PDB file of all heavy atoms in Angstrom:
ATOM      1  N   LEU F  35      86.699 147.574  89.466  1.00  0.00           N
ATOM      2  CA  LEU F  35      88.167 147.393  89.097  1.00  0.00           C
ATOM      3  C   LEU F  35      88.284 146.191  88.238  1.00  0.00           C
ATOM      4  O   LEU F  35      89.146 146.052  87.319  1.00  0.00           O
ATOM      5  CB  LEU F  35      89.090 147.296  90.354  1.00  0.00           C
ATOM      6  CG  LEU F  35      89.263 148.655  91.025  1.00  0.00           C
ATOM      7  CD1 LEU F  35      90.019 148.367  92.281  1.00  0.00           C
ATOM      8  CD2 LEU F  35      90.062 149.611  90.143  1.00  0.00           C
ATOM      9  N   GLY F  36      87.520 145.088  88.572  1.00  0.00           N
ATOM     10  CA  GLY F  36      87.557 143.915  87.738  1.00  0.00           C
ATOM     11  C   GLY F  36      88.852 143.139  88.193  1.00  0.00           C
ATOM     12  O   GLY F  36      89.566 143.435  89.061  1.00  0.00           O
ATOM     13  N   ARG F  38      90.977 139.348  89.208  1.00  0.00           N
ATOM     14  CA  ARG F  38      90.840 138.240  90.114  1.00  0.00           C
ATOM     15  C   ARG F  38      91.827 138.448  91.306  1.00  0.00           C
ATOM     16  O   ARG F  38      92.867 138.965  91.135  1.00  0.00           O
ATOM     17  CB  ARG F  38      91.187 136.920  89.451  1.00  0.00           C
ATOM     18  CG  ARG F  38      90.340 136.458  88.417  1.00  0.00           C
ATOM     19  CD  ARG F  38      90.704 135.002  87.999  1.00  0.00           C
ATOM     20  NE  ARG F  38      89.829 134.495  87.127  1.00  0.00           N
ATOM     21  CZ  ARG F  38      89.895 133.248  86.516  1.00  0.00           C
ATOM     22  NH1 ARG F  38      90.944 132.595  86.862  1.00  0.00           N
ATOM     23  NH2 ARG F  38      88.999 132.862  85.719  1.00  0.00           N
ATOM     24  N   GLY F  39      91.414 137.924  92.448  1.00  0.00           N
ATOM     25  CA  GLY F  39      92.316 137.973  93.548  1.00  0.00           C
ATOM     26  C   GLY F  39      91.709 138.853  94.693  1.00  0.00           C
ATOM     27  O   GLY F  39      90.628 139.162  94.713  1.00  0.00           O
ATOM     28  N   ILE F  40      92.566 138.890  95.752  1.00  0.00           N
ATOM     29  CA  ILE F  40      92.227 139.666  96.939  1.00  0.00           C
ATOM     30  C   ILE F  40      92.511 141.196  96.672  1.00  0.00           C
ATOM     31  O   ILE F  40      93.347 141.577  96.097  1.00  0.00           O
ATOM     32  CB  ILE F  40      93.135 139.207  98.153  1.00  0.00           C
ATOM     33  CG1 ILE F  40      92.788 137.825  98.524  1.00  0.00           C
ATOM     34  CG2 ILE F  40      93.019 140.222  99.311  1.00  0.00           C
ATOM     35  CD1 ILE F  40      91.434 137.549  99.268  1.00  0.00           C
ATOM     36  N   PHE F  41      91.529 141.942  97.226  1.00  0.00           N
ATOM     37  CA  PHE F  41      91.714 143.455  97.217  1.00  0.00           C
ATOM     38  C   PHE F  41      91.604 143.912  98.630  1.00  0.00           C
ATOM     39  O   PHE F  41      90.656 143.569  99.326  1.00  0.00           O
ATOM     40  CB  PHE F  41      90.528 144.154  96.381  1.00  0.00           C
ATOM     41  CG  PHE F  41      90.573 143.863  94.912  1.00  0.00           C
ATOM     42  CD1 PHE F  41      90.145 142.671  94.378  1.00  0.00           C
ATOM     43  CD2 PHE F  41      91.135 144.836  94.081  1.00  0.00           C
ATOM     44  CE1 PHE F  41      90.183 142.556  93.015  1.00  0.00           C
ATOM     45  CE2 PHE F  41      91.098 144.633  92.698  1.00  0.00           C
ATOM     46  CZ  PHE F  41      90.589 143.528  92.191  1.00  0.00           C
ATOM     47  N   GLY F  42      92.689 144.627  99.009  1.00  0.00           N
ATOM     48  CA  GLY F  42      92.651 145.213 100.356  1.00  0.00           C
ATOM     49  C   GLY F  42      91.911 146.494 100.240  1.00  0.00           C
ATOM     50  O   GLY F  42      92.330 147.511  99.743  1.00  0.00           O
ATOM     51  N   VAL F  43      90.672 146.568 100.811  1.00  0.00           N
ATOM     52  CA  VAL F  43      89.917 147.831 100.712  1.00  0.00           C
ATOM     53  C   VAL F  43      89.758 148.366 102.221  1.00  0.00           C
ATOM     54  O   VAL F  43      89.302 147.849 103.100  1.00  0.00           O
ATOM     55  CB  VAL F  43      88.402 147.605 100.254  1.00  0.00           C
ATOM     56  CG1 VAL F  43      87.665 148.885 100.151  1.00  0.00           C
ATOM     57  CG2 VAL F  43      88.510 146.838  98.919  1.00  0.00           C
ATOM     58  N   VAL F  57      92.444 151.444  98.177  1.00  0.00           N
ATOM     59  CA  VAL F  57      92.327 149.998  97.744  1.00  0.00           C
ATOM     60  C   VAL F  57      93.668 149.485  97.295  1.00  0.00           C
ATOM     61  O   VAL F  57      94.427 150.273  96.639  1.00  0.00           O
ATOM     62  CB  VAL F  57      91.231 149.813  96.702  1.00  0.00           C
ATOM     63  CG1 VAL F  57      91.547 150.529  95.459  1.00  0.00           C
ATOM     64  CG2 VAL F  57      91.066 148.339  96.472  1.00  0.00           C
ATOM     65  N   SER F  58      94.063 148.301  97.621  1.00  0.00           N
ATOM     66  CA  SER F  58      95.245 147.615  97.108  1.00  0.00           C
ATOM     67  C   SER F  58      94.830 146.441  96.398  1.00  0.00           C
ATOM     68  O   SER F  58      94.215 145.523  96.960  1.00  0.00           O
ATOM     69  CB  SER F  58      96.197 147.262  98.294  1.00  0.00           C
ATOM     70  OG  SER F  58      96.640 148.489  98.882  1.00  0.00           O
ATOM     71  N   PRO F  59      95.197 146.230  95.151  1.00  0.00           N
ATOM     72  CA  PRO F  59      94.717 145.071  94.318  1.00  0.00           C
ATOM     73  C   PRO F  59      95.595 143.851  94.621  1.00  0.00           C
ATOM     74  O   PRO F  59      96.282 143.205  93.654  1.00  0.00           O
ATOM     75  CB  PRO F  59      94.744 145.497  92.923  1.00  0.00           C
ATOM     76  CG  PRO F  59      95.887 146.594  92.948  1.00  0.00           C
ATOM     77  CD  PRO F  59      95.849 147.204  94.303  1.00  0.00           C
ATOM     78  N   ARG F  60      95.728 143.488  95.876  1.00  0.00           N
ATOM     79  CA  ARG F  60      96.659 142.373  96.320  1.00  0.00           C
ATOM     80  C   ARG F  60      96.419 142.086  97.743  1.00  0.00           C
ATOM     81  O   ARG F  60      95.827 142.932  98.435  1.00  0.00           O
ATOM     82  CB  ARG F  60      98.126 142.733  96.041  1.00  0.00           C
ATOM     83  CG  ARG F  60      98.401 144.021  96.801  1.00  0.00           C
ATOM     84  CD  ARG F  60      99.876 144.489  96.808  1.00  0.00           C
ATOM     85  NE  ARG F  60     100.204 145.713  97.341  1.00  0.00           N
ATOM     86  CZ  ARG F  60     100.076 146.178  98.586  1.00  0.00           C
ATOM     87  NH1 ARG F  60      99.687 145.249  99.499  1.00  0.00           N
ATOM     88  NH2 ARG F  60     100.339 147.444  98.895  1.00  0.00           N
ATOM     89  N   PRO F  61      96.944 140.994  98.245  1.00  0.00           N
ATOM     90  CA  PRO F  61      96.900 140.815  99.717  1.00  0.00           C
ATOM     91  C   PRO F  61      97.507 142.007 100.346  1.00  0.00           C
ATOM     92  O   PRO F  61      98.475 142.606  99.839  1.00  0.00           O
ATOM     93  CB  PRO F  61      97.742 139.600  99.970  1.00  0.00           C
ATOM     94  CG  PRO F  61      97.520 138.754  98.677  1.00  0.00           C
ATOM     95  CD  PRO F  61      97.567 139.800  97.663  1.00  0.00           C
ATOM     96  N   HIS F  62      97.022 142.380 101.540  1.00  0.00           N
ATOM     97  CA  HIS F  62      97.422 143.676 102.174  1.00  0.00           C
ATOM     98  C   HIS F  62      97.993 143.341 103.580  1.00  0.00           C
ATOM     99  O   HIS F  62      97.591 142.409 104.241  1.00  0.00           O
ATOM    100  CB  HIS F  62      96.228 144.534 102.329  1.00  0.00           C
ATOM    101  CG  HIS F  62      96.505 145.959 102.576  1.00  0.00           C
ATOM    102  ND1 HIS F  62      96.599 146.412 103.942  1.00  0.00           N
ATOM    103  CD2 HIS F  62      96.778 146.975 101.820  1.00  0.00           C
ATOM    104  CE1 HIS F  62      96.942 147.743 103.859  1.00  0.00           C
ATOM    105  NE2 HIS F  62      97.082 148.132 102.680  1.00  0.00           N
ATOM    106  N   HIS F  80      93.920 134.464  97.902  1.00  0.00           N
ATOM    107  CA  HIS F  80      94.485 135.230  96.717  1.00  0.00           C
ATOM    108  C   HIS F  80      94.840 134.213  95.605  1.00  0.00           C
ATOM    109  O   HIS F  80      94.517 134.250  94.425  1.00  0.00           O
ATOM    110  CB  HIS F  80      95.618 136.012  97.070  1.00  0.00           C
ATOM    111  CG  HIS F  80      96.025 136.971  95.882  1.00  0.00           C
ATOM    112  ND1 HIS F  80      95.308 137.982  95.381  1.00  0.00           N
ATOM    113  CD2 HIS F  80      97.208 136.995  95.208  1.00  0.00           C
ATOM    114  CE1 HIS F  80      95.868 138.567  94.399  1.00  0.00           C
ATOM    115  NE2 HIS F  80      97.060 138.055  94.302  1.00  0.00           N
TER     116      HIS F  80
END
Side-chain angles (χ1 to χ4, degrees):
L35 289 172
R38 288 185 176 181
I40 293 286
F41 289 81
V43 183
V57 63
S58 299
R60 57 175 169 69
H62 198 269
H80 185 66

